[in-house]
Amino acid sequence: MSKDKNKLKDYYDKREIDESPEPKAEMDISEDEPIFVIQKHDSSNLHYDFRLEVDGVLKSWAIPKGPSTDPDDKRLALPTEDHPLDYANFEGVIPEDHYGAGEVIVWDMGPYQNTSKKEGTSLSMEEAIKKGHITVNLKGKKLEGEYALIRTGSEEDSRWLFMKMKDDKADARRNPVSTEPKSVISGKTIEDLKKEDQND
Ligand code: MN
């Protein structure tokens, strides 16, 4: 079990974890480079959960409209509770009457590099989060290149914006949220999970 259960207090507080298919924390660190994951989650509101591995947990933001590959699109990103690393592989249906009830697929996943800087000096992820100015280079199956997460206000729980930075992976014509709806793990869509759930 994770040594740092306190870090995940909000995660456990929000859930009856023994009655949900969602994972408990077992992993402390991923094997090689840190990972990011984007889970498409059809809960009361459809959204995309963007998660970054930082210091043994997944720092998380909910992006209602999902990511864009167009640097002109700034997408609202709302911080949510830290999730266990084990959550990165989670796909399934969170049952009714549970927190976050609805279908979850792993929409994109891969390693990332922290490229956050302040006046030319590299920042740790912890420092960048505190500053409210994170840049990461994503190596996903759908999203690649540099993305920024910028806090708009000064307070910790304020609104953030998620946006593509200008680089050779930026592409205003792509729209992966609508054209690439399948899980990168199982190939399933949210609709596939809904059908399976009805047949059970
Ligand atoms: Mn969610």
Side-chain angles (χ1 to χ4, degrees), residues 6-12 14-15 51-52 54-61 79-85 87 129:
N6 283 340
K7 269 192 184 171
L8 294 167
K9 188 174 183 306
D10 288 350
Y11 178 81
Y12 287 108
K14 285 174 188 272
R15 293 169 173 78
R51 311 190 197 279
L52 291 170
V54 178
D55 198 18
V57 296
L58 295 170
K59 292 283 170 190
S60 300
W61 290 260
T80 59
E81 76 276 16
D82 295 350
H83 279 50
L85 282 187
Y87 210 92
I129 290 168

Side-chain angles (χ1 to χ4, degrees), residues 36 48 69 105-109 139-144 147 169 174 176-177 179-184 188:
F36 82 96
Y48 292 74
T69 53
I105 61 163
V106 176
W107 185 81
D108 200 13
M109 184 189 233
K139 286 176 266 178
K141 296 206 165 77
K142 296 174 185 171
L143 301 188
E144 290 184 286
Y147 282 78
K169 304 294 183 192
R174 269 185 79 199
V177 160
T179 62
E180 299 173 56
K182 291 179 182 173
S183 162
V184 295
K188 291 177 182 173

